[in-house]
Amino acid sequence: RGVMVDWVACLALTFCMSGLLVLWDLQAGQSKQKVLAHSGGVCDAEVHWTSLRALSIGVDRSVSCWDLNIGQQVWRFALPGRGDAELSAEIGLDVCWESDRALGCWGRVVYIWDLVRGRPLHALNGRHSDDVKGAIVEWSLSRSLTWGGDGLLNLWDLKTGKRLQQLTGHTAGVCGAFVMWEEQPRALSFSSDHTLRLWSLDDANVEVTFRGHSAVVCGADVDWDGDRVLSWSDDRTLRLWSLGKGCCLRELAGHAGPIWSAIVDWESARALSYSFTHMAFLLWDLASSKNPLHSFRMSDDAWNGGAEVDWSKSRGVAWSLSESELWILDFQEGRPAAMRSLAGHGAAVSCVRLETAAD
């Protein structure tokens, strides 16, 4: 279900729906440690490579801390009440190993854990009327912004566990958000109500509402320095917006189905978007073109997958849950765009990590 890699130490940690955490020696191609972490499956995990400590959350409604040096559980916390394991997997864990704190979401509650004592420092609850869908943490400031299916965003003080601000205005669930914490703190959220909103975190006011998408805004990427944001939607389009002017600079159309995600390189003003309804990866020039520079198409439809890009080499790797192959996308300037496959897996590919320096 997931894989984390320390390329320098040649170590990897994987977790899966059988409930296992496995530490791998990548040079030897062998497992170094294996623990049955959760009955029913592991939703998410994080690892501290120096100490080989790991934190995991599971389908069995528990959070556990592990010492992977000896393969033993340090502590376990049972999550009370109702929660959605799949949603917890999507949100994931956010860990600050330096201060021994972690954040995780379960149902309508956001937990801040003390990793030494194995107990919650705070349970941030009672402020969302639907499940929490995501959170952003700035550990150095002890601040977190959470959002939920109720259309609300809440700003929290992680030292006291108190809510500082509530951002209201979305008329449907919030799908995601970004925060600029420095100077005048601002947040950008995108929602199932087809809009994006730019907020002031000082007074919780909406600075700009971006309208134009005709369906759920699935994702976005923000360039705070360049005052731009790229959004993508179930309406099959991407839109480039000006944060300062509050207007749409460019609409990018070309996908034949809902856009799953996109990867953006603001420095080169390029983006790679993908839709698994018809298995298409489209490369865009955000600076000048409304039409895709290149189109990479695959054979079968899929309900999930992903891609990673090395923009410095103009290459990417893509995968889907309907295929057992990886695809290498090559889009170097001055050369014809090309796509080749890497075969070897015996079943669908679910997760990939790319080390760009070592190719």
Side-chain angles (χ1 to χ4, degrees):
R1 181 156 196 164
V3 55
M4 292 154 283
V5 182
D6 181 347
W7 294 102
V8 176
C10 289
L11 294 174
L13 182 72
T14 59
F15 57 92
C16 64
M17 290 310 294
S18 66
L20 290 174
L21 288 175
V22 183
L23 181 67
W24 300 88
D25 182 331
L26 296 183
Q27 286 185 321
Q30 296 177 348
S31 61
K32 291 172 63 71
Q33 196 65 258
K34 184 184 296 185
V35 296
L36 182 58
H38 299 276
S39 60
V42 181
C43 297
D44 190 36
E46 293 291 336
V47 61
H48 185 239
W49 293 110
T50 304
S51 65
L52 286 182
R53 287 187 298 163
L55 189 71
S56 62
I57 183 169
V59 176
D60 59 4
R61 302 159 65 100
S62 72
V63 175
S64 292
C65 186
W66 303 90
D67 185 341
L68 297 178
N69 294 288
I70 57 177
Q72 289 187 0
Q73 187 180 68
V74 179
W75 54 260
R76 179 181 183 273
F77 176 78
L79 293 163
R82 181 188 62 86
D84 185 334
E86 288 298 322
L87 182 56
S88 294
E90 183 179 338
I91 298 170
L93 297 164
D94 195 306
V95 182
C96 181
W97 296 105
E98 291 75 16
S99 62
D100 285 312
R101 291 181 295 169
L103 179 146
C105 303
W106 185 254
R108 300 179 185 182
V109 183
V110 179
Y111 288 98
I112 311 298
W113 282 286
D114 181 332
L115 297 184
V116 176
R117 295 181 175 88
R119 61 177 177 82
L121 293 169
H122 300 292
L124 314 179
N125 59 8
R127 301 299 184 179
H128 285 287
S129 60
D130 199 348
D131 283 350
V132 177
K133 301 293 186 182
I136 296 176
V137 186
E138 179 52 58
W139 292 108
S140 64
L141 299 175
S142 291
R143 295 288 187 271
S144 178
L145 183 72
T146 64
W147 56 90
D150 54 8
L152 301 176
L153 298 97
N154 288 313
L155 180 66
W156 302 90
D157 184 330
L158 300 185
K159 288 183 178 179
T160 63
K162 293 182 178 180
R163 188 185 68 180
L164 301 175
Q165 299 282 8
Q166 186 172 79
L167 314 181
T168 61
H170 282 297
T171 58
V174 178
C175 300
F178 296 88
V179 178
M180 182 179 68
W181 299 101
E182 299 82 9
E183 299 176 2
Q184 297 178 332
R186 294 191 297 171
L188 181 86
S189 59
F190 49 95
S191 167
S192 296
D193 66 6
H194 309 174
T195 71
L196 300 90
R197 292 175 186 258
L198 182 64
W199 310 82
S200 166
L201 293 184
D202 287 332
D203 54 19
N205 287 330
V206 179
E207 295 182 356
V208 184
T209 299
F210 301 91
R211 305 181 189 277
H213 283 297
S214 59
V216 173
V217 182
C218 306
D221 194 292
V222 183
D223 176 16
W224 293 110
D225 293 332
D227 209 36
R228 298 170 294 177
V229 58
L230 182 71
S231 62
W232 49 93
S233 167
D234 277 355
D235 66 8
R236 306 180 181 185
T237 70
L238 301 92
R239 288 176 179 262
L240 181 66
W241 310 85
S242 166
L243 292 178
K245 297 178 181 179
C247 63
C248 181
L249 301 174
R250 190 167 291 110
E251 179 183 354
L252 308 176
H255 281 290
I259 300 172
W260 180 265
S261 189
I263 304 169
V264 185
D265 180 48
W266 291 109
E267 185 176 349
S268 64
R270 290 181 297 174
L272 182 74
S273 60
Y274 44 98
S275 170
F276 291 110
T277 302
H278 69 310
M279 288 305 296
F281 290 78
L282 302 184
L283 181 69
W284 306 90
D285 179 356
L286 301 181
S288 59
S289 177
K290 293 184 177 181
N291 298 315
L293 296 174
H294 301 297
S295 175
F296 304 93
R297 297 188 182 274
M298 300 172 193
S299 56
D300 296 322
D301 292 349
W303 63 269
N304 203 342
E308 288 201 28
V309 177
D310 179 1
W311 293 105
S312 66
K313 298 178 181 177
S314 296
R315 282 186 296 182
V317 57
W319 65 94
S320 83
L321 288 181
S322 67
E323 297 283 351
S324 59
E325 297 175 311
L326 300 177
W327 292 278
I328 306 302
L329 313 179
D330 193 332
F331 44 88
Q332 295 182 51
E333 190 173 352
R335 295 173 54 181
M339 182 174 70
R340 60 187 175 88
S341 66
L342 298 178
H345 284 290
V349 179
S350 61
C351 190
V352 173
R353 290 294 175 265
L354 175 68
E355 168 53 44
T356 59
D359 209 21

